[in-house]
Amino acid sequence: MPIIMQHQHHVNKELHIAPMLNYSTREFRQLIRILSERVTLWTEMVVDETVAHSPNLDEHLAYDSTQHPIVCQIGGNSPQLCGKATSIVLEQFGYDEVNLNIDCPSERVSGKREFGACLMKKAELARRIVAEMQTNAPSLASKVSVKCRIGVDDLDDLEFAAEFIRTLQPVCQRFYLHARKCVLGGLMNARQNRSVPPLNYPRVFSLCHMFPDCLFWINGGIKSIDEARMIAYGWNGG
């Protein structure tokens, strides 16, 4: 599993287990919790329609109380449905955070369903979704976050990433950045989007400097605790 590491100088570092479809199951999370009491766990991505309309929410959202801290990641492109899902996740099930997936590159998600990473090309829609998520859990608005890439297709530079963050900043100050761009439809499968586009950690660090009032976590290519420590503590800001 890849590792997510918070990368801000003025707060404590955090180690997260990044979500992966068919891996981040309830049972897998319980195993990781046995191995570490401190690591933050993530669910697999749950689609907004599933959360909003499922007759058996426990099947998708239930977890053991020992799994805190735990983040529920949702995917969707409907402000109304994502808003309703956020209320259920935070207020009914008591997750520590709800995260909007603007990262998934799969054809089924970013193609046919038009959410996930393709929302990076629709920053205003993404802003409306996050705003509605906060509106539906006003007392827990600070627990809403976004997971995204640092670019998508030919929109692959610091200026694009910064403008995306800038658009969302009024409604979100918590960003998990996969330090690769996303290629939609140009690779053999979604898995290649975790290895083929080159890593660009400096772009993530630059965004940390550009938006000091936001919190950032870095994701991508981190395969061990030693690598996580090197990125979190070895980077000198250069």
Side-chain angles (χ1 to χ4, degrees), residues 28-46:
F28 176 81
R29 297 195 307 265
Q30 194 62 32
L31 172 62
I32 297 299
R33 178 57 72 229
I34 292 171
L35 297 175
S36 171
E37 296 180 354
R38 296 177 55 190
V39 68
T40 297
L41 303 173
W42 286 55
T43 68
E44 301 174 278
M45 181 180 65
V46 186

Side-chain angles (χ1 to χ4, degrees), residues 22-107:
N22 298 325
Y23 285 89
S24 302
T25 62
R26 184 175 179 177
E27 294 76 16
F28 176 81
R29 297 195 307 265
Q30 194 62 32
L31 172 62
I32 297 299
R33 178 57 72 229
I34 292 171
L35 297 175
S36 171
E37 296 180 354
R38 296 177 55 190
V39 68
T40 297
L41 303 173
W42 286 55
T43 68
E44 301 174 278
M45 181 180 65
V46 186
V47 178
D48 57 353
E49 294 175 344
T50 300
V51 181
H53 300 309
S54 174
N56 182 12
L57 284 172
D58 283 351
E59 178 183 353
H60 305 284
L61 297 178
Y63 59 93
D64 190 280
S65 61
T66 62
Q67 292 187 14
H68 290 288
I70 182 169
V71 179
C72 180
Q73 183 171 219
I74 63 172
N77 61 10
S78 166
Q80 292 74 27
L81 290 179
C82 286
K84 182 177 180 179
T86 296
S87 177
I88 292 170
V89 165
L90 292 180
E91 297 180 340
Q92 184 174 333
F93 280 85
Y95 278 83
D96 298 286
E97 185 176 322
V98 61
N99 177 267
L100 179 65
N101 183 311
I102 308 182
D103 174 44
C104 182
S106 78
E107 172 60 26

Side-chain angles (χ1 to χ4, degrees), residues 132-149:
E132 191 69 18
M133 292 169 69
Q134 290 195 340
T135 298
N136 277 262
S139 64
L140 301 170
S142 64
K143 296 187 176 184
V144 174
S145 63
V146 165
K147 183 172 181 282
C148 60
R149 298 281 181 135

Side-chain angles (χ1 to χ4, degrees), residues 102 119-120 123 126 146 148 159-168:
I102 308 182
L119 285 177
M120 288 201 72
V146 165
C148 60
E159 290 72 19
F160 170 77
E163 183 59 27
F164 182 79
I165 299 295
R166 190 174 295 112
T167 300
L168 269 63

